[in-house]
Amino acid sequence: MFSLGFTCIWMAAAIQMRCVGASPASYVQPRFTDPQRLQKIRVVLPEIDEWFSSFSKTEHLPGVVYGVVVDGELIHHAELGLANLERKIKCGPDTGFRIASMSKSFVCLAVFRLRDDRKLGLDDAVEKYLPELRKVQLPTTDSPRITIRNLMTMTTGLPEDNPWGDRQLEISQEALRTFVRGGLSFSNPPGQEYEYSNLGYVLLGQVIAKASGMSFQKYINTRLLRPLGMTNTWWEFADVPPDALAQGYRWEHNAWIPEPILHDGEGAACGGLITTLNDFAKYMRFHLDAWPARDGAELGPIRRSTVREMQKPYVVSRVGAQETLLDGVTPNPSVGFYGNGLGWSIDSRKLVTLAHTGGLPGYGSHFRFLPDYGVGVYAFANRTYAPAARACSKALNLLVERAELKPRSVVAPGLLQTRATQVAEMITHWHPKLEGEIVAENFFLDQARADRMAVSRDVLGKLGKILSIQPIVPENQLRGTFKMIGENGHIHVHFTLTPEKNPTVQQLDLTFVPKP
């Protein structure tokens, strides 16, 4: 009945699995399997250009630059409008824009580098490095002390301070210390909930300086920017070649008004970096290169595992219950978290996005990327609080939906492929010797052997003659599914392996799906 022709099918599969090899210690790198992936992306680029062109006019942007990074390469970019209206200087790929709060992710990476070098601990109390905080009165007597992790994740209890914080870049170290000694006000006890705090990142800059023995600017320059080749990224606007600096403007009374540019200071840790389209592409590449986890040499200034840790979500920051796909109709709710200098969100498609916005008087910026898809979009504009997040969000959604992008496919290691072949043989013939080799100790305790045999006889009887066995579709390195195709439908076979040195089958589920 159901076993007719199966022996030949199984033997061919087994030979193939032996050729692949089974090494439980190896990790097979996930990959993009669509051979037309890049071509599909390029087809969407004109629509992205049209969107940014319309956006720049609607939002009254003197100038805007944007880029699309795919698999570590800046595959597309454009520069629209003027960097300086008075001098008629056009925007270019090497025009310097202040990226405001996008600077926060650089600051967090510096902290993680210091953690990796054992110069500090993320759960250290901040007052260990900044003694002036010891006398700050917390909002309740049972409030925990503020930690470095609180500063990074916006959970200090300090109030949202964007309008005020945007004007603090130039503050001196002594003025900052005097300010803190004078006492602080809190909206919540530390560690209780998310609230965006620029002051928290200003203090984080001071922690970096104390732990490293140099200014946070110098530490980030030497440990992060220069190793990444970001030679056209600055903290002080006076250091930018005059013709390369984007002058910031605000749109007021139907006219562009120049905004004063603040000098570098101790407040710059919350948003002082100035960079270019070309330089920031290197930073995007660095973040995307952290994925997937894999064997191989470390090429960046910070370990890939540390970058992935830095990108993790930490505290809920928003719930997007009413969001939709590009059609404006199909529901696509999402939930957002704040991590370590980055926002993290996941939507109903299980699409994970990492992003951060920047806004200052004269500037608006944003970057967002999809680690599982290997793509990212970023934009800088020279208008006060330009809503670059909206522009980049739509551009990235255009790429996902129009190009029908898919995440990396997990590649089944040889061991998982071998186990799939063995599982197919086991449920068809139930040889005690094979069972003894591949099933875990819990397997027949959880369901008696006779009962498992009865289940397999039932589904195989419904299947009829076996026509083929499809390759396993892995969920990860130790779990996956495959289909046994028969004349009456197919059996969906799902199994998971144990954490043993030689992983064995701990769970097995068989589901018959009849032909439609």
Side-chain angles (χ1 to χ4, degrees):
M1 186 174 61
F2 53 78
S3 63
L4 184 62
F6 177 76
T7 301
C8 291
I9 293 171
W10 179 81
M11 286 180 66
I15 292 171
Q16 181 183 8
M17 297 313 159
R18 282 198 295 269
C19 291
V20 171
S23 173
S26 65
Y27 184 87
V28 184
Q29 181 176 339
R31 61 190 179 192
F32 298 110
T33 56
D34 185 354
Q36 296 182 315
R37 166 182 157 82
L38 191 56
Q39 179 182 343
K40 290 178 180 178
I41 289 173
R42 292 193 183 281
V43 169
V44 181
L45 296 179
E47 190 172 359
I48 290 176
D49 288 339
E50 183 179 347
W51 159 243
F52 267 102
S53 177
S54 172
F55 173 78
S56 67
K57 294 171 185 175
T58 302
E59 294 297 331
H60 304 288
L61 305 181
V64 60
V65 301
Y66 59 93
V68 177
V69 175
V70 178
D71 302 336
E73 298 297 327
L74 180 61
I75 67 161
H76 183 72
H77 62 91
E79 302 81 38
L80 308 176
L82 298 176
N84 191 299
L85 296 172
E86 293 75 25
R87 299 173 60 196
K88 307 299 182 187
I89 298 175
K90 294 182 179 180
C91 291
D94 293 314
T95 299
F97 288 79
R98 183 157 259 163
I99 60 172
S101 288
M102 284 170 58
S103 309
K104 289 180 169 69
S105 64
F106 292 84
V107 173
C108 279
L109 278 170
V111 174
F112 273 102
R113 172 66 186 267
L114 286 165
R115 189 280 310 270
D116 285 354
D117 290 341
R118 300 184 179 181
K119 298 292 182 65
L120 54 74
L122 300 187
D123 293 312
D124 288 348
V126 179
E127 62 193 39
K128 175 180 177 181
Y129 305 89
L130 308 181
E132 55 268 31
L133 276 174
R134 291 172 185 163
K135 294 184 178 180
V136 169
Q137 184 176 351
L138 296 173
T140 63
T141 56
D142 64 353
S143 292
R145 307 308 296 177
I146 299 171
T147 66
I148 292 174
R149 195 185 300 275
N150 291 147
L151 296 178
M152 297 166 73
T153 59
M154 304 289 188
T155 55
T156 58
L158 292 166
E160 190 280 327
D161 60 357
N162 274 320
W164 174 84
D166 289 347
R167 305 289 181 173
Q168 307 304 315
L169 299 189
E170 292 183 344
I171 192 169
S172 68
Q173 191 170 76
E174 186 52 41
L176 177 60
R177 287 174 178 168
T178 299
F179 170 78
V180 173
R181 290 190 195 105
L184 302 174
S185 295
F186 293 82
S187 55
N188 291 290
Q192 187 162 299
E193 61 183 75
Y194 165 85
E195 188 157 359
Y196 196 90
S197 172
N198 286 293
L199 176 57
Y201 270 74
V202 173
L203 297 176
L204 197 57
Q206 299 305 296
V207 171
I208 293 172
K210 188 65 176 287
S212 68
M214 63 183 80
S215 70
F216 69 83
Q217 295 97 326
K218 184 176 180 180
Y219 186 82
I220 292 173
N221 285 348
T222 58
R223 300 296 194 273
L224 185 59
L225 301 182
R226 298 304 173 255
L228 288 175
M230 297 179 69
T231 56
N232 288 323
T233 298
W234 309 267
W235 293 95
E236 171 54 53
F237 79 84
D239 294 337
V240 184
D243 290 345
L245 178 65
Q247 168 63 49
Y249 300 88
R250 68 178 184 273
W251 180 254
E252 190 173 79
H253 305 303
N254 292 317
W256 284 304
I257 310 298
E259 289 272 23
I261 305 177
L262 295 177
H263 287 284
D264 182 30
E266 298 305 314
C270 76
L273 267 183
I274 300 167
T275 192
T276 67
L277 183 95
N278 279 335
D279 252 25
F280 199 79
K282 301 169 185 175
Y283 188 62
M284 288 279 282
R285 179 188 305 126
F286 171 63
H287 274 281
L288 288 169
D289 183 64
W291 298 89
R294 60 193 184 275
D295 298 328
E298 298 278 359
L299 302 178
I302 298 174
R303 294 197 306 258
R304 292 189 296 267
S305 61
T306 297
V307 178
R308 294 193 298 271
E309 179 186 359
M310 174 257 190
Q311 293 173 357
K312 286 181 179 179
Y314 185 78
V315 58
V316 174
S317 59
R318 66 168 184 83
V319 176
Q322 306 301 319
E323 293 178 1
T324 66
L325 298 180
L326 282 176
D327 61 15
V329 177
T330 306
N332 184 36
S334 70
V335 60
F337 294 74
Y338 200 81
N340 301 283
L342 284 173
W344 185 102
S345 65
I346 189 168
D347 66 13
S348 62
R349 299 167 293 182
K350 296 185 179 179
L351 189 148
V352 170
T353 304
L354 287 150
H356 211 291
T357 294
L360 279 172
Y363 302 98
S365 57
H366 186 79
F367 78 114
R368 63 196 301 113
F369 59 96
L370 310 177
D372 295 328
Y373 290 69
V375 300
V377 177
Y378 60 104
F380 312 147
N382 57 340
R383 198 216 76 192
T384 298
Y385 306 140
R390 180 160 57 87
C392 291
S393 178
K394 181 167 181 177
L396 199 55
N397 280 325
L398 284 169
L399 286 174
V400 171
E401 295 188 33
R402 300 283 197 268
E404 300 179 340
L405 294 186
K406 304 296 181 186
R408 290 181 185 88
S409 298
V410 179
V411 181
L415 173 69
L416 194 65
Q417 296 180 50
T418 298
R419 288 288 184 261
T421 302
Q422 292 169 327
V423 165
E425 167 67 2
M426 179 178 71
I427 64 178
T428 308
H429 294 109
W430 292 99
H431 294 309
K433 182 179 179 181
L434 178 61
E435 296 164 21
E437 293 176 357
I438 72 167
V439 303
E441 59 183 320
N442 68 288
F443 192 74
F444 289 131
L445 294 174
D446 295 339
Q447 186 176 17
R449 182 172 185 271
D451 292 337
R452 288 192 182 274
M453 291 175 66
V455 170
S456 67
R457 279 197 299 266
D458 178 59
V459 294
L460 286 165
K462 294 175 182 178
L463 182 68
K465 181 181 178 180
I466 297 173
L467 304 176
S468 65
I469 301 175
Q470 294 188 348
I472 187 165
V473 177
E475 296 177 24
N476 58 32
Q477 303 292 293
L478 295 173
R479 181 170 65 243
T481 62
F482 65 90
K483 292 180 181 179
M484 299 177 69
I485 310 299
E487 57 188 355
N488 300 322
H490 73 266
I491 299 172
H492 184 270
V493 183
H494 177 265
F495 68 95
T496 69
L497 302 180
T498 64
E500 300 167 285
K501 173 74 172 175
N502 181 33
T504 52
V505 179
Q506 61 175 322
Q507 181 179 351
L508 174 65
D509 299 298
L510 307 176
T511 305
F512 173 67
V513 181
K515 283 185 177 179

